[in-house]
Amino acid sequence: MSLSMRETADANIARNVQVVNDALKRIQSLNGEISGLNEVSGNTAALEDERQGLIDTIANIMPVKDIRRDNSQVDIITESGV
């Protein structure tokens, strides 16, 4: 592998790591917002749609699954359970 190919691969990995980390942070934030709105009977559909889009973004980078929890919370885990 040439140096430029290696640099390109490293850059792609770094970009994907940043995308996944940003998406996970936003999902955590959305979980809190959704939970708070559910407590006051608010409409959470738009927030849940945004969260699902972020889950799909992560799933396009690495295999994950989402697990629904109480108060409309979602946990994201890898296939190995991490």
Side-chain angles (χ1 to χ4, degrees), residues 61-75:
I61 296 171
M62 58 189 288
V64 294
K65 60 182 175 177
D66 55 303
I67 299 174
R68 305 293 169 176
R69 301 289 184 194
D70 293 337
N71 296 326
S72 300
Q73 302 288 299
V74 173
D75 287 340

Side-chain angles (χ1 to χ4, degrees), residues 5-18 61:
M5 288 177 64
R6 174 63 185 254
E7 290 170 344
T8 300
D10 286 346
N12 287 336
I13 291 168
R15 186 173 38 256
N16 284 339
V17 167
Q18 187 64 50
I61 296 171

Side-chain angles (χ1 to χ4, degrees), residues 12-59:
N12 287 336
I13 291 168
R15 186 173 38 256
N16 284 339
V17 167
Q18 187 64 50
V19 167
V20 169
N21 284 337
D22 290 347
L24 288 171
K25 287 176 189 173
R26 181 64 182 142
I27 289 169
Q28 181 180 15
S29 175
L30 287 167
N31 273 341
E33 292 177 48
I34 290 166
S35 180
L37 284 175
N38 277 337
E39 289 177 8
V40 294
S41 300
N43 184 355
T44 62
L47 297 175
E48 290 180 33
D49 287 346
E50 180 183 351
R51 184 178 62 192
Q52 187 58 53
L54 292 166
I55 293 168
D56 293 343
T57 296
I58 294 169

